Amino acid sequence: MQNFSLQKNKGKKIGEFNTLIPYLRKHKIALLFGSIFTIFTNVIALYSPLILKQIIDFLQEKASKEVILEQVWIFLGIAFISGVFKFAMRQTTVVVSRKIEFEFLNDYLKHLQSLPISFFNKNRTGDLMALGTNDLSSVRNVLGPGIMYTTNTLVTFCTALYFMIGISSTLTFFALLPFPLMSILTWSLIRVNHKNTALKQEQFGRINSTAQENLSGIRVIKAYVQEALEIQKFDKLSFDYLKKNMAVTIVSGGMHAGLAFLTALGFCGILWVGGKMVITGEITLGSFVAFNTYLTMLVWPMIAFGWVMNIFQQGYTSLGRINKVLHTIPDEENVTEKLDKNSPIDIEFKNVSFGYEPNETVLQNINLKLPAGTSLGIVGKIGSGKTSLVNLLSRLYEVGEGEILLNGKNIQSYTLKDVREIIGCVLQETFLFSDSIANNIRFGVPDEQMDKVLETAELSQLKENIDEFPMKFETILGERGITLSGGQKQRTAIARALIKQPKVLILDDSLSAVDTQTEDEILKGLKKVMESRTTLIVAHRISTVQNCDKIIVIEEGKISEEGTHEELLNLGGTYFEFHERQLLQEELVETE
Ligand code: ADP
């Protein structure tokens, strides 16, 4: 059962951007300064055409060299001050966008860590990684260049317009004629690109997932000589990505070209009308040059407007994708009890049923009592539901019907953290991190001393093996280090569970990759440890569970037999058959 739900997006269109409000609030001072610097940069820069006008008019009037030089110095001064503000503007807005990106990424990862396993079963790793890289980068563009150029555009547009009207309102009217067309063009193409961008980003997620699976599964691919086929598959995905990227580029390219054409059209009109005005003496040549400089300054905001819209639209699409994950919230915990982590734990399954999908039954009506300090062996065919049963105890999934009781109280009345802290679980699939063996063992208790690491390694029969490595327990595992054998991995995982000194110990088929003699040694070592703990051992070898206080046989999600080793043998049912078959197999191996 999934224990998370999709929170409804409260906002409408702007809704996706709501996620950014807390971050923007946090950096409001820097953003305010950024906006002030942006306004200054633009307003100051807009004085240069006025100086240019003066210089040209002075030249026409054949003014003295000193007067013209003075204007040139003012012109240079304005350029310098505007440059300084431009630097300050970039330093504030771009730095803020980087900081928000950093905080957002951390929050995104924190949120991912809080989501239940069922979420990760439904979402591919590569997709989730793409959201934290490619999509987040689109969001950052909104915060940095997006905000900066929007302010830029607005300020330049308003101020340039003010100066242009000052020169000639008629000329300004003609200059603005193409602008409505420009807006229509921009808006309509942006709508088209919204869909294209979503498709592009989804495809990037697919590529990321495939690349990640390819690299993780590189050994299998090589062993089955599937390199060519995998390359071909990847090639197809990349080509699709290229096509989707092209679709976005073609539309935004068309938008830029259209804007440039309409701008050129505007200029033609201005030259025609303005030229006439200069000839008739309505405006001076200097004013006409200044007017054209303002118009050129307006063109950039217009083009930037298209570009900024593109940034906003891509950021909006990406944020929408990220929000789907962020709005997926784990169900609220209904905590009423405190779990005593120092005393042994009683476990009871009461009419428990469970399925991964709503109408599926993987476990049916499980009733089971496990007094504190006792051990339970779980056997059954592959796929009968053994792992599902122990996963319910770790609350990796929540029960469908019925309840699991810890010390007589519903497991859901304790915090997830409390439950997981008292459980030491050795999962069926061992995952070791690219870190030293010692750190892998003390993963759950990072501050644990080395003597404890050695002690648990000895208990899980790992120490002798590791002592043979030159760096011993400091040997690095994984991509940049060595690879342990299947049995060594399992024993490392057992040590990792034991070092936590859990009150409940779960071994999920954790001895399958070790030989029977080592298994015997481990079980002997565990016997003492298990005395004060409640232990659940899932196994496919009878020898692993035969000394357990109680053994259950699971068949098709139901408990079919229950008792001690002797009781179950006397019953002459499935357990007895398992036992006979295994004895026969052992005899066959011995006579070979
Ligand atoms: P066992 O441990 O006895 O081999 P499992 O508990 O792993 O059995 O599986 C029981 C059933 O649940 C199987 O049919 C399996 O395909 C299904 N199953 C196991 N894990 C998942 C999962 N994460 N999502 C959907 N179905 C699953």
Side-chain angles (χ1 to χ4, degrees):
M1 282 297 134
Q2 59 189 64
N3 73 336
F4 62 89
S5 53
L6 200 69
Q7 200 183 43
K8 286 270 170 295
N9 191 352
K10 293 182 198 88
K12 287 259 165 20
K13 270 278 170 203
I14 194 79
E16 309 296 3
F17 283 128
N18 279 346
T19 320
L20 297 177
I21 291 174
Y23 300 93
L24 294 173
R25 266 206 196 116
K26 187 173 170 198
H27 295 279
K28 57 179 182 290
I29 303 285
L31 284 167
L32 181 73
F33 272 102
S35 308
I36 292 174
F37 291 144
T38 313
I39 293 171
F40 274 128
T41 311
N42 290 293
V43 172
I44 291 169
L46 280 159
Y47 273 96
S48 341
L50 280 188
I51 309 298
L52 201 65
K53 167 189 161 357
Q54 302 262 45
I55 295 174
I56 292 173
D57 287 345
F58 281 147
L59 280 173
Q60 280 202 315
E61 290 162 15
K62 307 229 175 353
S64 70
K65 195 177 158 198
E66 284 71 33
V67 173
I68 293 173
L69 255 180
E70 190 189 336
Q71 295 298 317
V72 170
W73 279 117
I74 297 175
F75 193 81
L76 282 176
I78 287 177
F80 178 76
I81 297 170
S82 168
V84 170
F85 275 118
K86 198 171 241 171
F87 179 74
M89 165 185 89
R90 291 192 146 268
Q91 280 304 299
T92 35
T93 37
V94 176
V95 168
V96 166
S97 76
R98 286 283 175 198
K99 279 188 182 159
I100 294 184
E101 178 186 37
F102 158 78
E103 290 159 4
F104 198 94
L105 182 61
N106 281 347
D107 288 346
Y108 172 67
L109 276 173
K110 201 164 135 199
H111 180 74
L112 279 184
Q113 296 274 2
S114 77
L115 292 176
I117 298 289
S118 41
F119 173 83
F120 296 94
N121 287 343
K122 292 189 171 78
N123 293 279
R124 299 210 300 174
T125 314
D127 283 332
L128 297 174
M129 281 167 68
L131 290 178
T133 50
N134 210 26
D135 288 286
L136 185 55
S137 157
S138 298
V139 177
R140 185 185 57 76
N141 278 340
V142 171
L143 296 165
I147 291 184
M148 190 165 74
Y149 290 119
T150 309
T151 323
N152 234 341
T153 305
L154 282 175
V155 174
T156 313
F157 194 81
C158 296
T159 336
L161 212 61
Y162 171 77
F163 284 116
M164 282 162 76
I165 292 172
I167 294 171
S168 162
S169 44
T170 322
L171 210 51
T172 311
F173 170 75
F174 280 102
L176 292 184
L177 271 185
F179 280 45
L181 270 178
M182 286 177 167
S183 308
I184 295 169
L185 178 82
T186 312
W187 277 110
S188 47
L189 291 185
I190 280 204
R191 282 174 74 94
V192 177
N193 245 5
H194 178 66
K195 214 172 111 210
N196 287 345
T197 310
L199 292 173
K200 180 189 100 170
Q201 298 293 70
E202 273 165 28
Q203 187 65 14
F204 183 78
R206 257 173 241 135
I207 288 192
N208 225 16
S209 285
T210 312
Q212 188 254 339
E213 277 172 17
N214 252 299
L215 294 176
S216 314
I218 190 76
R219 285 164 196 83
V220 182
I221 293 172
K222 284 193 181 295
Y224 285 83
V225 206
Q226 291 301 302
E227 293 96 326
L229 200 72
E230 287 301 316
I231 291 170
Q232 211 181 326
K233 269 199 239 163
F234 196 79
D235 205 45
K236 195 173 164 306
L237 282 177
S238 291
F239 188 62
D240 267 0
Y241 182 56
L242 176 72
K243 281 198 287 190
K244 288 182 169 116
N245 244 323
M246 292 290 284
V248 175
T249 319
I250 286 171
V251 175
S252 58
M255 187 161 76
H256 281 113
L259 286 174
F261 177 71
L262 289 172
T263 312
L265 219 62
F267 265 111
C268 287
I270 295 304
L271 282 176
W272 179 255
V273 181
K276 267 188 186 168
M277 289 170 99
V278 175
I279 293 168
T280 57
E282 257 179 88
I283 52 171
T284 64
L285 182 63
S287 297
F288 185 58
V289 172
F291 190 91
N292 274 294
T293 317
Y294 282 128
L295 195 58
T296 321
M297 283 178 156
L298 266 195
V299 173
W300 161 240
M302 277 324 291
I303 292 182
F305 178 69
W307 188 60
V308 163
M309 282 296 132
N310 222 17
I311 288 181
F312 270 93
Q313 171 261 310
Q314 295 219 11
Y316 183 81
T317 313
S318 287
L319 200 54
R321 281 161 48 78
I322 298 175
N323 278 345
K324 272 195 193 137
V325 174
L326 291 181
H327 292 161
T328 308
I329 48 164
D331 280 346
E332 267 178 41
E333 292 197 86
N334 190 12
V335 182
T336 51
E337 304 293 332
K338 185 107 194 72
L339 194 58
D340 178 6
K341 294 180 203 159
N342 297 317
S343 62
I345 306 282
D346 266 320
I347 300 171
E348 185 177 353
F349 280 68
K350 238 177 160 179
N351 302 323
V352 169
S353 296
F354 167 76
Y356 290 93
E357 298 298 331
N359 293 321
E360 185 194 30
T361 314
V362 170
L363 291 171
Q364 209 180 339
N365 211 20
I366 303 286
N367 282 295
L368 193 63
K369 269 191 178 165
L370 252 167
T374 57
S375 57
L376 174 77
I378 307 170
V379 289
K381 284 193 193 132
I382 289 173
S384 56
K386 304 181 294 296
T387 299
S388 306
L389 183 87
V390 291
N391 282 348
L392 289 183
L393 198 55
S394 311
R395 281 184 68 189
L396 288 180
Y397 300 92
E398 301 289 358
V399 294
E401 282 168 37
E403 54 180 354
I404 298 176
L405 306 175
L406 295 186
N407 289 346
K409 300 277 166 26
N410 192 319
I411 197 167
Q412 290 176 1
S413 64
Y414 303 110
T415 62
L416 254 180
K417 189 166 171 280
D418 274 0
V419 171
R420 293 196 183 143
E421 260 173 20
I422 56 138
I423 293 181
C425 189
V426 186
L427 300 169
Q428 208 168 27
E429 285 160 32
T430 313
F431 185 86
L432 298 179
F433 296 91
S434 304
D435 200 343
S436 68
I437 299 175
N439 285 347
N440 263 291
I441 292 178
R442 57 183 158 206
F443 181 70
V445 275
D447 300 326
E448 197 54 276
Q449 297 301 316
M450 198 59 196
D451 53 346
K452 253 301 175 259
V453 173
L454 298 180
E455 194 183 303
T456 41
E458 196 141 16
L459 260 179
S460 52
Q461 305 299 312
L462 183 70
K463 191 166 174 303
E464 256 180 52
N465 285 185
I466 305 301
D467 278 344
E468 281 168 19
F469 298 146
M471 296 287 289
K472 296 195 167 54
F473 280 82
E474 291 311 320
T475 308
I476 300 290
L477 301 179
E479 280 154 23
R480 282 175 302 122
I482 62 147
T483 309
L484 296 181
S485 73
Q488 288 166 341
K489 276 187 193 163
Q490 282 192 337
R491 280 175 281 153
T492 312
I494 293 175
R496 181 190 282 167
L498 289 179
I499 203 167
K500 265 177 75 181
Q501 306 205 332
K503 290 291 157 208
V504 178
L505 180 67
I506 301 175
L507 302 180
D508 185 1
D509 218 357
S510 318
L511 297 166
S512 56
V514 297
D515 57 80
T516 34
Q517 198 189 336
T518 315
E519 175 189 71
D520 212 37
E521 295 292 324
I522 296 176
L523 288 175
K524 260 191 225 150
L526 282 182
K527 208 167 172 14
K528 209 169 161 324
V529 179
M530 278 153 55
E531 271 168 18
S532 56
R533 296 163 218 284
T534 318
T535 316
L536 292 94
I537 305 179
V538 174
H540 66 270
R541 264 201 308 245
I542 297 286
S543 56
T544 323
V545 294
Q546 63 187 7
N547 291 324
C548 288
D549 299 316
K550 190 199 274 189
I551 300 164
I552 57 170
V553 180
I554 299 205
E555 285 180 89
E556 292 177 2
K558 291 187 212 142
I559 298 180
S560 61
E561 292 170 22
E562 188 172 349
T564 60
H565 176 66
E566 281 72 28
E567 283 167 357
L568 290 180
L569 285 186
N570 290 336
L571 203 67
T574 312
Y575 186 84
F576 174 76
E577 273 175 36
F578 271 168
H579 185 251
E580 290 299 295
R581 208 177 311 140
Q582 283 184 15
L583 280 184
L584 201 66
Q585 275 167 359
E586 276 166 31
E587 274 171 30
L588 282 174
V589 173
E590 274 166 23
T591 51
E592 258 173 21

Short mmCIF file of all heavy atoms in Angstrom, two decimals, residues 215-235:
data_model
loop_
_atom_site.label_atom_id
_atom_site.label_comp_id
_atom_site.label_asym_id
_atom_site.label_seq_id
_atom_site.Cartn_x
_atom_site.Cartn_y
_atom_site.Cartn_z
N LEU A 215 24.93 1.98 -16.72
CA LEU A 215 26.19 1.98 -15.98
C LEU A 215 26.12 1.06 -14.77
O LEU A 215 27.07 0.34 -14.47
CB LEU A 215 26.57 3.41 -15.56
CG LEU A 215 26.90 4.33 -16.74
CD1 LEU A 215 27.16 5.74 -16.26
CD2 LEU A 215 28.12 3.81 -17.50
N SER A 216 24.96 1.07 -14.08
CA SER A 216 24.83 0.18 -12.92
C SER A 216 24.86 -1.28 -13.37
O SER A 216 25.38 -2.14 -12.68
CB SER A 216 23.53 0.40 -12.17
OG SER A 216 23.30 1.73 -11.98
N GLY A 217 24.28 -1.53 -14.55
CA GLY A 217 24.18 -2.92 -15.00
C GLY A 217 25.26 -3.29 -16.00
O GLY A 217 25.10 -4.25 -16.76
N ILE A 218 26.37 -2.54 -15.98
CA ILE A 218 27.39 -2.74 -17.02
C ILE A 218 27.94 -4.17 -17.04
O ILE A 218 28.20 -4.73 -18.10
CB ILE A 218 28.55 -1.69 -16.89
CG1 ILE A 218 29.48 -1.72 -18.10
CG2 ILE A 218 29.35 -1.89 -15.62
CD1 ILE A 218 28.92 -1.07 -19.30
N ARG A 219 28.02 -4.78 -15.84
CA ARG A 219 28.57 -6.14 -15.79
C ARG A 219 27.62 -7.13 -16.49
O ARG A 219 28.07 -8.01 -17.22
CB ARG A 219 28.80 -6.55 -14.34
CG ARG A 219 30.02 -5.87 -13.78
CD ARG A 219 30.11 -5.93 -12.27
NE ARG A 219 31.07 -4.96 -11.80
CZ ARG A 219 30.82 -3.66 -11.60
NH1 ARG A 219 29.59 -3.20 -11.82
NH2 ARG A 219 31.74 -2.84 -11.19
N VAL A 220 26.33 -6.97 -16.26
CA VAL A 220 25.36 -7.85 -16.90
C VAL A 220 25.39 -7.64 -18.41
O VAL A 220 25.39 -8.60 -19.19
CB VAL A 220 23.93 -7.58 -16.36
CG1 VAL A 220 22.92 -8.53 -16.97
CG2 VAL A 220 23.91 -7.65 -14.86
N ILE A 221 25.44 -6.37 -18.82
CA ILE A 221 25.44 -6.07 -20.26
C ILE A 221 26.64 -6.73 -20.92
O ILE A 221 26.52 -7.37 -21.98
CB ILE A 221 25.47 -4.53 -20.48
CG1 ILE A 221 24.15 -3.93 -19.99
CG2 ILE A 221 25.70 -4.20 -21.94
CD1 ILE A 221 24.11 -2.42 -19.98
N LYS A 222 27.80 -6.63 -20.29
CA LYS A 222 29.00 -7.22 -20.88
C LYS A 222 28.92 -8.75 -20.87
O LYS A 222 29.26 -9.39 -21.86
CB LYS A 222 30.25 -6.76 -20.12
CG LYS A 222 30.64 -5.33 -20.46
CD LYS A 222 32.01 -5.02 -19.95
CE LYS A 222 32.42 -3.60 -20.26
NZ LYS A 222 32.55 -3.34 -21.70
N ALA A 223 28.42 -9.30 -19.75
CA ALA A 223 28.35 -10.76 -19.64
C ALA A 223 27.44 -11.35 -20.72
O ALA A 223 27.68 -12.44 -21.22
CB ALA A 223 27.86 -11.15 -18.26
N TYR A 224 26.38 -10.61 -21.07
CA TYR A 224 25.45 -11.11 -22.08
C TYR A 224 25.71 -10.52 -23.47
O TYR A 224 24.88 -10.62 -24.36
CB TYR A 224 24.01 -10.83 -21.64
CG TYR A 224 23.55 -11.76 -20.54
CD1 TYR A 224 23.86 -11.51 -19.22
CD2 TYR A 224 22.85 -12.93 -20.84
CE1 TYR A 224 23.47 -12.36 -18.21
CE2 TYR A 224 22.45 -13.80 -19.84
CZ TYR A 224 22.77 -13.52 -18.52
OH TYR A 224 22.38 -14.39 -17.53
N VAL A 225 26.88 -9.88 -23.62
CA VAL A 225 27.32 -9.28 -24.89
C VAL A 225 26.19 -8.44 -25.51
O VAL A 225 25.84 -8.61 -26.68
CB VAL A 225 27.83 -10.34 -25.88
CG1 VAL A 225 28.82 -9.72 -26.86
CG2 VAL A 225 28.47 -11.51 -25.18
N GLN A 226 25.62 -7.56 -24.72
CA GLN A 226 24.49 -6.75 -25.20
C GLN A 226 24.90 -5.30 -25.46
O GLN A 226 24.05 -4.43 -25.60
CB GLN A 226 23.36 -6.78 -24.18
CG GLN A 226 22.66 -8.11 -24.05
CD GLN A 226 22.05 -8.56 -25.35
OE1 GLN A 226 21.22 -7.87 -25.93
NE2 GLN A 226 22.46 -9.72 -25.85
N GLU A 227 26.24 -5.06 -25.56
CA GLU A 227 26.70 -3.67 -25.69
C GLU A 227 26.09 -2.98 -26.91
O GLU A 227 25.54 -1.89 -26.81
CB GLU A 227 28.23 -3.59 -25.81
CG GLU A 227 28.99 -3.99 -24.57
CD GLU A 227 29.44 -5.45 -24.62
OE1 GLU A 227 28.70 -6.28 -25.21
OE2 GLU A 227 30.50 -5.76 -24.07
N ALA A 228 26.16 -3.71 -28.08
CA ALA A 228 25.70 -3.08 -29.33
C ALA A 228 24.22 -2.71 -29.23
O ALA A 228 23.81 -1.61 -29.61
CB ALA A 228 25.95 -4.03 -30.49
N LEU A 229 23.44 -3.66 -28.67
CA LEU A 229 21.99 -3.42 -28.57
C LEU A 229 21.70 -2.24 -27.64
O LEU A 229 20.84 -1.40 -27.92
CB LEU A 229 21.31 -4.69 -28.03
CG LEU A 229 19.82 -4.75 -28.32
CD1 LEU A 229 19.57 -5.02 -29.78
CD2 LEU A 229 19.18 -5.81 -27.46
N GLU A 230 22.44 -2.18 -26.53
CA GLU A 230 22.24 -1.09 -25.57
C GLU A 230 22.60 0.25 -26.21
O GLU A 230 21.91 1.25 -26.02
CB GLU A 230 23.07 -1.32 -24.31
CG GLU A 230 22.55 -2.42 -23.41
CD GLU A 230 21.13 -2.19 -22.92
OE1 GLU A 230 20.80 -1.07 -22.52
OE2 GLU A 230 20.32 -3.15 -22.96
N ILE A 231 23.72 0.25 -26.99
CA ILE A 231 24.14 1.49 -27.65
C ILE A 231 23.04 1.93 -28.62
O ILE A 231 22.67 3.10 -28.70
CB ILE A 231 25.49 1.29 -28.39
CG1 ILE A 231 26.61 1.10 -27.36
CG2 ILE A 231 25.80 2.46 -29.32
CD1 ILE A 231 27.93 0.67 -27.94
N GLN A 232 22.51 0.93 -29.33
CA GLN A 232 21.44 1.22 -30.30
C GLN A 232 20.22 1.83 -29.60
O GLN A 232 19.65 2.82 -30.06
CB GLN A 232 21.05 -0.11 -30.95
CG GLN A 232 20.57 0.01 -32.38
CD GLN A 232 20.20 -1.38 -32.88
OE1 GLN A 232 20.81 -2.37 -32.50
NE2 GLN A 232 19.18 -1.43 -33.70
N LYS A 233 19.86 1.22 -28.46
CA LYS A 233 18.69 1.72 -27.71
C LYS A 233 18.93 3.16 -27.26
O LYS A 233 18.07 4.02 -27.38
CB LYS A 233 18.46 0.85 -26.46
CG LYS A 233 17.54 -0.32 -26.69
CD LYS A 233 17.03 -0.81 -25.34
CE LYS A 233 17.41 -2.24 -25.11
NZ LYS A 233 17.31 -2.70 -23.74
N PHE A 234 20.16 3.39 -26.77
CA PHE A 234 20.50 4.71 -26.26
C PHE A 234 20.51 5.73 -27.40
O PHE A 234 20.05 6.87 -27.24
CB PHE A 234 21.87 4.67 -25.56
CG PHE A 234 22.09 5.87 -24.70
CD1 PHE A 234 21.51 5.95 -23.45
CD2 PHE A 234 22.85 6.93 -25.14
CE1 PHE A 234 21.69 7.06 -22.65
CE2 PHE A 234 23.03 8.05 -24.36
CZ PHE A 234 22.46 8.11 -23.10
N ASP A 235 21.02 5.26 -28.54
CA ASP A 235 21.09 6.11 -29.72
C ASP A 235 19.70 6.61 -30.10
O ASP A 235 19.48 7.78 -30.42
CB ASP A 235 21.67 5.26 -30.86
CG ASP A 235 22.34 6.12 -31.89
OD1 ASP A 235 23.08 7.03 -31.47
OD2 ASP A 235 22.10 5.91 -33.09
#
